[in-house]
Amino acid sequence: MSNVSTQIDLMIARAKKAAEKFNGLGQLEVDRIVAAMTRAGVANERKLAEMAVEETGIGNVEDKVIKNHFGTQVVYDYMRGKPSVGIIDEDDSIISIAEPFGVVAAITPTTNPTSTTMFKSLIALKGRNVIVFGFHPRAQKCSEEAARIMLEAAVEAGAPADCIQWIAEPSIEATDALMKHPDVAIVIATGGGAMVKAAYSSGHPALGVGPGNVPVYIEKTACLELAIPDVIASKTFDNGTICSSDQSVIFDDKEVAQRALDLFKTHGAYLCNEEEKAKLEAVMFDKERGVPSMAIVGKRPQVIAELAGFTIPADVKMLMVPLTTTGPEDWMSHEKLSPVLGWFIVDSREKAISAAVCQLEFGGAGHSAVVFTEDEEAAKEFALRVPANRVVWNHPSVHGTIGALYNDLVPSLTLGCGAMGGNITTENVGYKNLLNIKRIAKRKAA
């Protein structure tokens, strides 16, 4: 047995003991623990944001502060007062009883390291689960600090020791051993496609997510004064690192498209020509792996342009490139994880929706899509046809898909993509996904 396997065995053994103790706590005790964790997370949201940017070089501090606040306070506000222990629902025929899964193995990304760590800790402990993390190696230090803050607050509020643990020396071998350990009950994975696939092949139930590659359909009746600022706010948030950030805007009318592009420029976008687009493509992708290059992920547009060999004004918020198609033949229609957005113009609703479908099918099936329109029938047709499990209507993609801010979706930093994306759920993953619910079924009256 390797040293790594031995270390994972010891961690899981401690986790099992913690889970046994946690299982004896009641709802009030659990809620007190989760509330204390939330307060600690909020108190440290700026420090953790600064650590994440310093360690990873991805995104920006102010937006990561917002992410950390969302992953703690907003998530807690949604869970507050909701039952997660014992009998959680009862009607005339069915009594629902919540029990913990047990040991949760959690994988976190480099793009949203501290917010995802705190979010997963909260939803796990809300259901009396314990959690063991495998952090992305490029975000180990900040992720450890987020987990430590959550752990200390939880234990001080009455949670068992070792309810939150993490791999101290990250490696593929260690993460694989964690996910495949026989005493792990469920895996919740957020990260690259290879890691999510590994989670689903671990032999355990798994909650994973697929890539986004979100299309935005700006239909001819759309209020452009609403749509364009919303798209920019979403696409530039934390320099485009959230998986549900916009990747292409699709227009069904040439005149509307021109007015929209003018507004994009007015609001801080830089419209690239074909030569600049080609230069961007050359530096933005690892084409062998089919993913964005880490050199551009979460970087400012000025940095990306400089890498590509041209300069842009200091006040530019994002880059925009013309697309020849929304299919894989045009690399700039792939997921970009940066403040770079494609635009594509067709001449009908049918073609626009087909373009959105194409973009999702090759690079983001099951994830999310956006439509701006004042025509309800157009919105419904779009939603019925696109292979996306979250369709955001007339609000920004990032802020809409993660839930709670603009709508009543469950607030989450793990967005399920369903069967289309190779995932087990279509939902915004929350604490309920980490409850093992059994049911007492009463006999019906004759």
Side-chain angles (χ1 to χ4, degrees):
M1 181 179 292
S2 71
N3 185 50
V4 167
S5 296
T6 300
Q7 290 176 353
I8 297 299
D9 283 343
L10 291 173
M11 292 174 67
I12 298 300
R14 294 195 297 268
K16 286 180 64 180
K17 289 182 180 179
E20 291 174 4
K21 294 178 181 178
F22 213 164
N23 199 26
L25 299 186
Q27 187 71 65
L28 291 177
E29 294 165 303
V30 168
D31 289 346
R32 183 170 62 247
I33 291 166
V34 174
M37 293 167 66
T38 301
R39 290 193 296 271
V42 170
N44 288 278
E45 58 190 23
R46 179 165 293 277
K47 180 185 83 168
L48 291 171
E50 291 171 349
M51 288 182 67
V53 172
E54 180 181 359
E55 183 175 6
T56 67
I58 292 174
N60 64 77
V61 170
E62 295 305 320
D63 288 346
K64 287 197 185 296
V65 170
I66 294 171
K67 279 186 186 179
N68 288 338
H69 190 83
F70 179 88
T72 51
Q73 188 65 58
V74 175
V75 170
Y76 172 73
D77 288 343
Y78 171 78
M79 300 191 302
R80 189 202 308 259
K82 291 184 171 67
S84 61
V85 177
I87 295 174
I88 60 172
D89 189 45
E90 186 170 3
D91 61 28
D92 291 339
S93 62
I94 300 291
I95 300 173
S96 297
I97 301 172
E99 294 183 339
F101 269 79
V103 180
V104 177
I107 313 303
T108 59
T110 186
T111 48
N112 311 303
T114 57
S115 54
T116 304
T117 297
M118 293 191 289
F119 161 69
K120 288 183 178 180
S121 297
L122 282 171
I123 65 171
L125 270 63
K126 173 69 173 178
R128 294 178 297 168
N129 300 288
V130 299
I131 189 165
V132 182
F133 284 101
F135 300 129
H136 195 288
R138 286 193 292 270
Q140 180 73 21
K141 183 179 177 181
C142 63
S143 302
E144 280 190 2
E145 182 64 8
R148 184 193 63 77
I149 288 167
M150 291 283 102
L151 173 62
E152 290 182 357
V155 171
E156 187 175 348
D162 300 317
C163 60
I164 300 172
Q165 297 182 71
W166 55 89
I167 297 170
E169 298 180 6
S171 67
I172 293 174
E173 181 185 4
T175 301
D176 191 57
L178 170 63
M179 291 193 294
K180 292 181 177 178
H181 196 283
D183 290 327
V184 162
I186 188 169
V187 179
I188 177 168
T190 310
M195 184 57 69
V196 171
K197 287 180 181 178
Y200 276 105
S201 62
S202 66
H204 299 300
L207 292 164
V209 299
N213 210 23
V214 174
V216 180
Y217 175 27
I218 300 181
E219 195 262 346
K220 63 176 178 285
T221 67
C223 173
L224 298 183
E225 289 72 21
L226 170 74
I228 305 314
D230 275 3
V231 171
I232 293 175
S234 173
K235 183 58 179 170
T236 60
F237 184 78
D238 204 29
N239 293 345
T241 54
I242 288 186
C243 57
S244 59
S245 66
D246 327 56
Q247 301 302 320
S248 303
V249 286
I250 301 166
F251 302 99
D252 62 2
D253 182 277
K254 187 175 181 179
E255 292 184 4
V256 170
Q258 188 56 59
R259 286 194 285 120
L261 292 173
D262 289 342
L263 276 173
F264 271 116
K265 287 191 289 185
T266 298
H267 287 279
Y270 179 89
L271 273 59
C272 298
N273 58 35
E274 291 291 347
E275 181 182 357
E276 291 165 333
K277 174 188 175 183
K279 290 180 178 180
L280 287 171
E281 180 183 327
V283 300
M284 284 187 59
F285 299 98
D286 180 340
K287 292 187 176 181
E288 289 187 6
R289 297 174 57 222
V291 297
S293 167
M294 285 306 301
I296 63 93
V297 170
K299 297 297 193 294
R300 296 170 58 246
Q302 288 76 13
V303 172
I304 297 171
E306 184 177 356
L307 282 172
F310 62 97
T311 59
I312 59 174
D315 61 351
V316 166
K317 297 178 181 178
M318 58 185 274
L319 301 170
M320 294 187 69
V321 295
L323 300 177
T324 58
T325 177
T326 55
E329 299 82 9
D330 190 331
W331 269 92
M332 297 306 291
S333 68
H334 288 66
E335 185 178 41
K336 293 172 276 294
L337 295 179
S338 59
V340 182
L341 180 69
W343 85 79
F344 188 60
I345 304 172
V346 293
D347 58 10
S348 71
R349 180 190 299 179
E350 165 61 30
K351 291 178 182 178
I353 296 177
S354 294
V357 170
C358 178
Q359 182 170 313
L360 285 164
E361 285 182 339
F362 92 82
H367 206 291
S368 305
V370 183
V371 58
F372 286 94
T373 180
E374 297 302 302
D375 183 340
E376 184 171 346
E377 290 307 310
K380 289 179 179 177
E381 182 181 350
F382 180 75
L384 285 167
R385 288 186 53 195
V386 291
N389 290 306
R390 276 158 299 277
V391 177
V392 170
W393 181 7
N394 285 346
H395 52 286
S397 181
V398 163
H399 307 74
T401 55
I402 61 175
L405 304 178
Y406 281 78
N407 53 51
D408 292 325
L409 292 174
V410 173
S412 178
L413 294 173
T414 299
L415 310 182
C417 297
M420 291 176 283
N423 300 167
I424 194 64
T425 183
T426 63
E427 295 178 331
N428 284 17
V429 173
Y431 78 94
K432 288 184 179 179
N433 297 96
L434 296 178
L435 297 180
N436 195 62
I437 298 176
K438 62 183 182 183
R439 295 167 179 85
I440 302 173
K442 300 177 184 178
R443 178 168 176 160
K444 289 183 177 181

